[in-house]
Amino acid sequence: MNERILKALEFNKIIEQLKSQAETSVGKELASQLKPSSDAADVREMQAETDEASQILRLNLTIPLGGVADIRAAVKRSVIGGVLTAGECLDVASTLYGGRQAKNFLGKMEEDLPILKGLAEKIISLRKLETDINSCIDDRGNVMDSASVKLRSIRSSIRTYESRVRDKLDSYTKSQSKMLSDAIITIRNDRYVLPVKQEYRGAIGGIVHDQSASGATLFMEPKAVVDLNNQLQEAKVNEKKEIERILRELSGKIADDEAILTENVTVLAKIDFITARAKLGRGMKAAMPAINDNGIINVKQARHPLIPDDEVVSNDVVLGKDYTSIVITGPNTGGKTVTLKMIGLFTLMAQSGLQIPAADGCEMAVFDDVFADIGDEQSIEQNLSTFSSHMINIVSILSGIDDKSLVLFDELGAGTDPQEGAALAMSILDDVVSRGARVVATTHYPELKAYGFNRDNVINASVEFDVETLQPTYRLLIGVPGRSNAFEIAGRLGLAQSIIDRAKNQVGVNSESVENMIASLEQSRRQAEADYEEAHEILQESEELRNDLIKAWQQYENKREDLYKKAEEKADKALQKARDEAETIVDEIRHMKTDAQLKEHEWIEARKMLEEAQPKLSSKKANKPKQQPNTAKEFKPGDEIKLLSANQQGTILEKLNENEYLIQVGIMKVQVKRSEIQLIKHKSSVTEKPLATVKGSSFHVKTELDLRGERFEDAMGDLEKYIDDALLAGYPKVFIIHGKGTGALRKGVKEFAKKHTRIASERPGSTGEGGSGVTVLELK
């Protein structure tokens, strides 16, 4: 993809935003070099990297990268024998500290972050080198006294000499102040001097180092301090030599670890770069797109990333499934070019590992090339007209496209005779479509409004225009070509109706038919939208009613269960009381031992008969009911049976195979094994209708619920309904697919799970279950 395409689609502006999100200079450098990849595997890897960093941001955490600097040039200079400055050595220590902090942070993360944690493992902590540098250089980049014993001694002597020089000069400022321009001590040529008046030069004596602009003041070093100044200068030279020795030693240690330091900087740059991509996505309220190499683009609530949030209008775009080309028509300033650029920019962003501002569940294709002919490319230097410059660009595009290309045409065929331009536009589109490329084209030509109706793999679209307000709504309408609205607009602006009527009479029959067809389509669309809203409301009411019925049925079942259990307990107590009383009577009779001596085994038999007289009570207290043998060799549809595992009565609906049956218990249809059911009675001669099923369906519930792309409120309603269905179906565990996006759905699912009494626990999905884009709910 050449630079002209990237500039035409304003990808460079996205790069500038990305650079502003990077924290380090090395991260900004990587961001500035970002280019789209045409390898699907690489794109998926980059998207996975960005998604991992997004997971961290959703937890309101940030990878610490403070102090990381680009030390590669300094390290390389140390390898060839150069002596680094104190500031450069301090940058090395600071970068080592930043790398260690980032590694520790990612190592402690409990989330599944294989890519970022793998990068962190490559960071090697050089604690000894970091300590050696920090023990010699302070935070301001100065070599400290503690760097060596010799340096401490030298600096101590420097302070002594400075103190003695000042004492000597202070005596002059006090006793000879009339000879001085000011009673101060100053420095010239790194030596302490006094500002002496010109006429007292001989009286003070010594060396003149400088004079004022007027010549009235001489900056002199009195003879009394010359030797002390010389000793001070000698100590400062020794200090400089010792500092250079210390820095040379540190530079050598840095050179020894050149490979590790360079690799650390490379890894930290990539971590910062990945984090910057995630930050950019968060700022755009973007989502990670699923990547395919089938040429399919499917985005919902897509927003152009360079238009402010309070101005942008979201649109749904589908391309590459039922059709490979979209022809967008509509008035000027209606948003055709914005939509065109958005599709191209989304492609470049997705193929660069960036998330796109659209709803969760979006999907983007990987193209080998993106071609675009956008805007007025008239060249004054080459003396080319607008039409000629467009044609040169289009000829270049046609020479390189195939079925792995995305082609964007803005105002195709413009700049020449309308009739010829329209014919040329249709011919160009036919050629591009025949090669299997994905195409989005905008046009003003009315001839192209019917183009999508006469071609396979092509669909019309338009940007909506509100005739009442005379303003575009910027909504993209797939399947509806745009109307010119010229007559309506003219009428709204006050043009006489007689003039408009005469103009209508001059419009060709074909054009009028096309406009009437478009008007009919728009009316049908609006009616369909209204019908959809009404049907949606009715569906919601039905779902609420169904949920109320399910809750009422559950309450009834729970109440019946409680009453049954209480009756059992009451009967059990009565039987136990009777058994105890009978046992007492038997014992009394046995101890009496009257003339009718009874044998012991007769007492045992009597007790056994008493125990056997106890009725069989429900064994619901046990974890698993004791199954009783079936008395029927084969069950038939309509037979009344008992489901032993649930202690519920039901009806045989269908024999599935030799060992399995489909039965109906209450409102549920269940597939069970033969050993789990017991015959109550065979089907009677009069056919009985089974209980009605819910909504006329088989009440089949999947073990997963996909909420991606839904509004938050709708998603929570669907989740509550689904959990009720899953509980009725007896599922122990279900999977809620909410995607990763902004994290709002995942948070909502988590809060719902905490409040629901029948949800035992929730956890994020494992790698094989969908990762953080899925929440697993354990039911009870």
Side-chain angles (χ1 to χ4, degrees):
M1 300 177 194
N2 58 50
E3 290 294 330
R4 190 184 64 79
I5 297 299
L6 301 181
K7 184 178 180 180
L9 296 174
E10 301 181 284
F11 185 66
N12 57 315
K13 294 182 180 180
I14 298 296
I15 294 298
E16 289 303 315
Q17 291 185 9
L18 179 62
K19 286 170 62 178
S20 68
Q21 298 293 340
E23 293 188 21
T24 67
S25 60
V26 285
K28 293 180 186 295
E29 181 182 349
L30 283 182
S32 65
Q33 298 169 356
L34 180 62
K35 292 290 186 295
S37 171
S38 58
D39 185 283
D42 289 344
V43 173
R44 291 188 182 97
E45 178 73 11
M46 289 190 292
Q47 288 290 349
E49 292 170 352
T50 308
D51 182 59
E52 287 191 8
S54 298
Q55 292 183 49
I56 297 175
L57 295 179
R58 283 194 288 269
L59 297 173
N60 291 324
L61 300 174
T62 304
I63 302 175
L65 293 169
V68 176
D70 188 0
I71 60 174
R72 291 172 293 185
V75 172
K76 190 174 183 179
R77 197 168 77 252
S78 72
V79 173
I80 60 176
V83 178
L84 305 186
T85 65
E88 289 173 330
C89 292
L90 187 63
D91 284 342
V92 172
S94 178
T95 300
L96 286 171
Y97 172 78
R100 183 158 50 84
Q101 291 293 101
K103 182 174 183 176
N104 292 340
F105 174 86
L106 289 169
K108 293 177 182 178
M109 291 291 294
E110 297 180 358
E111 279 67 22
D112 184 22
L113 307 170
I115 298 175
L116 288 175
K117 289 185 178 181
L119 286 172
E121 288 299 319
K122 295 180 181 179
I123 300 174
I124 298 177
S125 299
L126 300 173
R127 291 298 297 271
K128 187 177 187 310
L129 177 59
E130 183 184 342
T131 303
D132 288 345
I133 295 173
N134 288 330
S135 65
C136 295
I137 303 172
D138 63 20
D139 293 340
R140 292 169 294 179
N142 299 317
V143 179
M144 298 185 293
D145 295 353
S146 58
S148 73
V149 175
K150 184 176 180 180
L151 182 62
R152 185 190 298 275
S153 175
I154 292 172
R155 286 182 171 171
S156 177
S157 63
I158 288 174
R159 287 188 288 271
T160 299
Y161 290 136
E162 286 179 338
S163 177
R164 291 171 63 184
V165 168
R166 285 183 171 278
D167 289 344
K168 283 279 186 183
L169 294 178
D170 279 341
S171 66
Y172 280 92
T173 59
K174 293 175 181 177
S175 62
Q176 308 291 340
S177 60
K178 66 178 182 178
M179 301 181 184
L180 305 178
S181 299
D182 288 302
I184 60 171
I185 301 170
T186 185
I187 297 175
R188 290 292 186 276
N189 299 326
D190 291 332
R191 300 178 76 89
Y192 287 99
V193 296
L194 293 172
V196 181
K197 295 177 181 178
Q198 173 71 33
E199 59 267 27
Y200 294 110
R201 173 178 180 176
I204 295 293
I207 302 170
V208 177
H209 288 279
D210 197 5
Q211 67 178 8
S212 65
S214 64
T217 300
L218 302 177
F219 295 96
M220 297 183 63
E221 179 184 1
K223 291 180 181 178
V225 297
V226 170
D227 289 340
L228 286 174
N229 262 335
N230 287 341
Q231 291 173 333
L232 176 61
Q233 291 303 313
E234 182 180 357
K236 287 184 176 180
V237 170
N238 291 334
E239 177 194 30
K240 189 173 182 180
K241 289 181 179 178
E242 180 61 14
I243 289 174
E244 185 177 358
R245 184 196 68 78
I246 293 169
L247 293 177
R248 181 177 286 106
E249 183 178 330
L250 290 176
S251 298
K253 293 179 179 180
I254 290 171
D256 292 340
D257 291 319
E258 180 259 346
I260 294 175
L261 291 169
T262 302
E263 176 66 12
N264 281 1
V265 172
T266 301
V267 172
L268 289 168
K270 187 166 185 180
I271 290 175
D272 186 24
F273 177 42
I274 292 171
T275 304
R277 301 199 311 249
K279 289 179 179 177
L280 181 65
R282 180 178 63 174
M284 293 179 176
K285 298 181 178 63
M288 182 183 77
I291 301 300
N292 69 80
D293 52 5
N294 302 322
I296 296 174
I297 296 175
N298 186 4
V299 290
K300 296 187 182 302
Q301 300 176 31
R303 309 172 302 280
H304 196 291
L306 299 178
I307 299 178
D309 290 341
D310 58 345
E311 299 177 14
V312 70
V313 175
S314 61
N315 279 303
D316 299 347
V317 179
V318 180
L319 177 66
K321 288 186 176 180
D322 299 328
Y323 44 86
T324 61
S325 304
I326 300 176
V327 178
I328 307 175
T329 55
N332 282 328
T333 70
K336 299 193 304 297
T337 303
V338 170
T339 302
L340 187 83
K341 285 187 173 183
M342 181 189 74
I343 296 171
L345 189 54
F346 271 24
T347 298
L348 299 181
M349 290 174 64
Q351 292 184 212
S352 301
L354 301 175
Q355 297 178 341
I356 60 175
D360 285 342
C362 53
E363 186 175 7
M364 293 298 299
V366 174
F367 297 100
D368 290 344
D369 282 296
V370 175
F371 299 98
D373 181 59
I374 299 174
D376 187 359
E377 300 188 16
Q378 181 174 354
S379 172
I380 297 176
E381 292 180 1
Q382 298 180 20
N383 194 27
L384 295 175
S385 67
T386 300
F387 177 74
S388 298
S389 62
H390 278 298
M391 280 301 104
I392 289 175
N393 190 29
I394 290 172
V395 169
S396 175
I397 290 173
L398 294 178
S399 65
I401 62 173
D402 56 21
D403 61 344
K404 291 292 184 181
S405 302
L406 174 64
V407 185
L408 307 173
F409 290 125
D410 187 27
E411 299 300 343
L412 182 60
T416 186
D417 177 78
Q419 188 173 0
E420 293 180 355
L424 193 58
M426 287 188 283
S427 181
I428 292 172
L429 285 174
D430 284 341
D431 183 70
V432 177
V433 172
S434 67
R435 302 194 203 182
R438 302 301 184 263
V439 186
V440 181
T442 68
T443 181
H444 276 303
Y445 293 132
E447 289 84 354
L448 268 70
K449 294 178 181 179
Y451 180 80
F453 293 102
N454 303 325
R455 302 294 194 283
D456 293 333
N457 296 322
V458 182
I459 193 168
N460 280 317
S462 61
V463 283
E464 190 177 51
F465 189 88
D466 191 339
V467 180
E468 296 298 321
T469 62
L470 301 182
Q471 294 291 329
T473 66
Y474 302 104
R475 287 186 60 201
L476 180 68
L477 307 176
I478 299 290
V480 180
R483 299 175 60 196
S484 64
N485 298 303
F487 296 144
E488 289 83 352
I489 294 173
R492 294 283 297 173
L493 293 176
L495 187 65
Q497 187 62 40
S498 59
I499 298 176
I500 295 174
D501 292 339
R502 284 198 299 272
K504 287 182 178 181
N505 292 331
Q506 296 180 38
V507 174
V509 176
N510 291 336
S511 297
E512 186 176 357
S513 298
V514 170
E515 290 297 320
N516 291 337
M517 175 190 69
I518 295 172
S520 176
L521 285 172
E522 288 185 351
Q523 184 178 359
S524 298
R525 177 186 59 80
R526 292 193 184 95
Q527 185 61 44
E529 288 181 352
D531 292 343
Y532 173 81
E533 292 295 331
E534 182 180 357
H536 185 66
E537 292 178 2
I538 294 173
L539 178 61
Q540 284 185 323
E541 293 176 359
S542 301
E543 293 294 344
E544 291 175 1
L545 178 60
R546 174 182 172 278
N547 291 334
D548 291 341
L549 288 173
I550 291 175
K551 289 179 182 178
W553 173 263
Q554 190 65 44
Q555 291 173 356
Y556 164 74
E557 287 289 328
N558 293 337
K559 186 174 182 180
R560 188 184 71 167
E561 186 73 18
D562 290 341
L563 291 172
Y564 191 81
K565 191 175 293 185
K566 289 178 181 178
E568 270 192 350
E569 292 174 355
K570 186 175 181 181
D572 192 32
K573 289 179 181 178
L575 287 171
Q576 185 62 42
K577 182 178 179 182
R579 188 185 303 112
D580 292 342
E581 292 176 353
E583 188 71 27
T584 301
I585 295 171
V586 170
D587 286 341
E588 288 178 356
I589 295 173
R590 182 194 300 169
H591 289 307
M592 289 173 62
K593 298 226 177 186
T594 59
D595 293 339
Q597 292 289 332
L598 299 176
K599 295 181 180 180
E600 188 68 23
H601 72 275
E602 292 176 340
W603 296 107
I604 295 173
E605 287 182 5
R607 179 180 294 174
K608 185 177 180 182
M609 291 174 64
L610 178 63
E611 291 175 352
E612 290 177 349
Q614 179 178 346
K616 301 289 184 181
L617 297 178
S618 171
S619 55
K620 291 183 181 180
K621 295 179 182 179
N623 291 331
K624 289 186 178 180
K626 185 176 180 181
Q627 296 184 355
Q628 298 181 12
N630 294 309
T631 57
K633 294 182 179 180
E634 183 177 0
F635 300 99
K636 297 180 180 179
D639 288 352
E640 292 185 19
I641 52 90
K642 180 179 182 181
L643 179 59
L644 299 174
S645 59
N647 195 31
Q648 297 287 334
Q649 291 186 7
T651 306
I652 298 290
L653 294 180
E654 181 184 353
K655 180 179 180 182
L656 301 176
N657 52 51
E658 292 299 324
N659 194 39
E660 290 184 322
Y661 289 86
L662 180 66
I663 68 171
Q664 181 157 5
V665 179
I667 64 171
M668 295 185 297
K669 291 183 180 179
V670 187
Q671 183 176 329
V672 298
K673 293 183 178 180
R674 186 179 185 281
S675 58
E676 297 177 5
I677 54 179
Q678 180 182 0
L679 179 68
I680 295 179
K681 70 176 181 177
H682 284 296
K683 176 183 177 182
S684 62
S685 58
V686 179
T687 303
E688 296 181 357
K689 294 183 180 180
L691 291 174
T693 58
V694 177
K695 287 190 177 181
S697 69
S698 60
F699 202 70
H700 177 65
V701 183
K702 294 184 178 180
T703 57
E704 63 181 37
L705 173 64
D706 192 343
L707 299 176
R708 292 177 296 180
E710 293 192 28
R711 295 179 56 197
F712 183 84
E713 295 78 5
D714 295 339
M716 292 300 100
D718 290 347
L719 177 60
E720 182 178 4
K721 167 185 170 297
Y722 173 74
I723 293 301
D724 291 338
D725 294 344
L727 289 169
L728 285 174
Y731 291 156
K733 175 171 66 178
V734 293
F735 301 85
I736 309 302
I737 304 172
H738 44 66
K740 299 174 181 177
T742 61
L745 280 181
R746 182 176 73 166
K747 185 176 179 182
V749 172
K750 190 172 182 179
E751 292 298 323
F752 177 84
K754 289 181 180 178
K755 298 176 181 178
H756 203 289
T757 58
R758 297 295 302 275
I759 297 178
S761 66
E762 57 84 19
R763 62 175 176 81
S766 63
T767 301
E769 294 171 332
S772 59
V774 172
T775 296
V776 181
L777 304 181
E778 302 285 346
L779 307 181
K780 60 182 179 180

